């Protein structure tokens, strides 16, 4: 196959209940828009039928392929794995539940076509686009985490954690080989690296809906994510984010 214009990366862990509907919607929208696209599903050590379902789809759709992590490594590892294997000029990762509908990708792609190196979906720039809001305790955690991002990493975005982000190939090749955080705290690391290398990041309001079945535990994963912010700051202070630390494949 020729290199794609768009690569869509879907990190997936035990998503057998909804991966079929997700792939149907993505493939239908890509066909409607006439995209030259590849879709990469990265199974993060799934123990259900997710890999089998994706393989079946791949046998019928040449634009689709499956990558499998060596065990359960985390969302950050999965996104990096997909990005480092993608061929597209513009690379998008999306949550497998399509909390932000794939149709919203048009907004991110437009931002990149207008000069952004990275376009990130935001749930909070226009709250009217939220179809179904998060529970109050998760919104509170998000506010606290966002404040920590501003203090520890100097990131001024309204929403770093929306699982809907697009990258030019140049920006992806700049930051993903340097990514070290493998679990939930990887988004701030990517944006910190973007800031370090002077990449233009555009925050774009997107439609979004809370999905049941999220695997984030507010207390346990919240503590881990704060710890990962400290790790990012520590890596930066040590000078670990340099070209000599880049890797061509996930660790």
């Amino acid at each position: 196959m020729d290199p794609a214009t768009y690569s869509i990366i879907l990190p997936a862990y035990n998503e057998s209940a909804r991966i079929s509907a997700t792939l149907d919607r993505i493939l239908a929208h890509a066909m409607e828009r006439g995209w030259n696209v590849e879709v990469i599903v990265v199974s993060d050590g799934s123990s259900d039928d997710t890999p089998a379902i994706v393989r079946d789809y791949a046998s019928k759709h040449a634009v689709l392929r499956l990558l499998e992590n060596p065990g359960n490594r985390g969302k950050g590892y999965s996104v990096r794995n997909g990005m480092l294997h993608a061929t597209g000029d513009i690379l998008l990762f999306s949550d497998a539940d399509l909390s932000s509908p794939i149709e919203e990708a048009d907004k991110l792609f437009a931002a990149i076509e207008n000069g952004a190196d990275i376009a990130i979906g935001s749930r909070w720039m226009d709250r009217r686009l939220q179809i179904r809001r998060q529970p109050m305790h998760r919104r509170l955690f998000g506010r606290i985490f966002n404040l920590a991002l501003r203090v520890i990493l100097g990131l001024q975005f309204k929403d770093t954690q929306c699982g809907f982000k697009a990258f030019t190939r140049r920006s992806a090749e700049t930051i993903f080989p340097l990514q070290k955080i493998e679990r939930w705290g990887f988004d701030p690391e990517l944006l910190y690296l973007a800031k370090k290398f002077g990449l233009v990041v555009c925050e774009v309001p997107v439609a979004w809906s809370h999905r049941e079945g999220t695997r984030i535990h507010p207390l346990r994963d919240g503590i881990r994510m704060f710890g990962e912010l400290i790790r990012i700051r520590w890596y930066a202070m040590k000078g670990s984010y340099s070209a000599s630390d880049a890797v061509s494949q996930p660790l």
Side-chain angles (χ1 to χ4, degrees):
M1 291 178 60
D2 295 331
T5 302
Y6 302 108
S7 295
I8 299 175
I9 291 96
L10 300 173
Y13 174 68
N14 288 351
E15 292 287 356
S16 61
R18 52 192 174 192
I19 194 65
S20 294
T22 292
L23 293 175
D24 284 340
R25 187 166 181 177
I26 290 174
L27 293 170
H29 184 66
M31 181 176 294
E32 178 184 328
R33 299 293 288 164
W35 289 346
N36 174 20
V37 69
E38 66 174 352
V39 181
I40 302 174
V41 178
V42 185
S43 176
D44 190 25
S46 297
S47 58
D48 66 358
D49 292 333
T50 298
I53 293 170
V54 176
R55 287 192 195 96
D56 182 62
Y57 267 79
S59 70
K60 302 169 185 173
H61 301 277
V63 300
L64 177 63
R65 57 187 167 124
L66 172 70
L67 297 178
E68 295 191 77
N69 293 343
N72 180 250
R73 297 293 297 268
K75 183 180 177 183
Y77 183 99
S78 301
V79 170
R80 182 177 62 177
N81 195 2
M83 289 284 176
L84 294 180
H85 284 89
T87 67
D89 298 320
I90 299 176
L91 301 85
L92 168 81
F93 77 80
S94 170
D95 288 338
D97 61 9
L98 293 183
S99 297
S100 284
I102 191 60
E103 292 79 8
E104 296 293 274
D106 295 350
K107 297 178 181 179
L108 302 190
F109 295 162
I112 286 180
E113 289 166 2
N114 287 330
D117 297 303
I118 301 170
I120 65 173
S122 175
R123 299 164 290 186
W124 299 109
M125 289 188 72
D126 187 349
R127 298 184 187 186
R128 294 171 299 177
L129 295 176
Q130 291 193 20
I131 301 164
R132 182 181 180 186
R133 291 193 175 186
Q134 292 177 317
M136 180 60 72
H137 70 278
R138 293 198 61 187
R139 277 183 271 163
L140 177 60
F141 168 74
R143 293 293 182 271
I144 296 171
F145 188 71
N146 190 265
L147 177 61
L149 288 171
R150 293 169 184 266
V151 172
I152 299 172
L153 299 181
L155 297 178
Q156 302 299 314
F157 303 103
K158 290 183 178 295
D159 186 4
T160 63
Q161 299 309 112
C162 181
F164 203 60
K165 295 179 173 67
F167 304 78
T168 63
R169 169 151 293 282
R170 182 179 73 88
S171 68
E173 289 176 345
T174 299
I175 64 178
F176 280 99
L178 294 172
Q179 178 194 335
K180 300 179 184 299
I181 304 299
E182 295 188 349
R183 295 195 178 271
W184 301 110
F186 79 101
D187 296 89
E189 183 182 32
L190 297 179
L191 295 174
Y192 180 83
L193 288 168
K195 177 182 175 182
K196 171 181 172 65
F197 290 104
L199 300 174
V200 176
V201 181
C202 180
E203 193 168 10
V204 180
V206 294
W208 184 86
S209 178
H210 174 68
R211 305 294 190 195
E212 296 297 337
T214 179
R215 296 182 175 87
I216 295 181
H217 186 282
L219 180 59
R220 181 193 64 229
D221 292 316
I223 293 172
R224 175 180 288 171
M225 287 169 72
F226 280 109
E228 288 173 340
L229 295 188
I230 301 300
R231 284 176 57 196
I232 295 167
R233 170 53 67 185
W234 175 244
Y235 290 144
M237 291 174 61
K238 289 199 308 176
S240 297
Y241 291 129
S242 64
S244 62
D245 293 293
V247 295
S248 60
Q249 300 293 338
L251 300 175

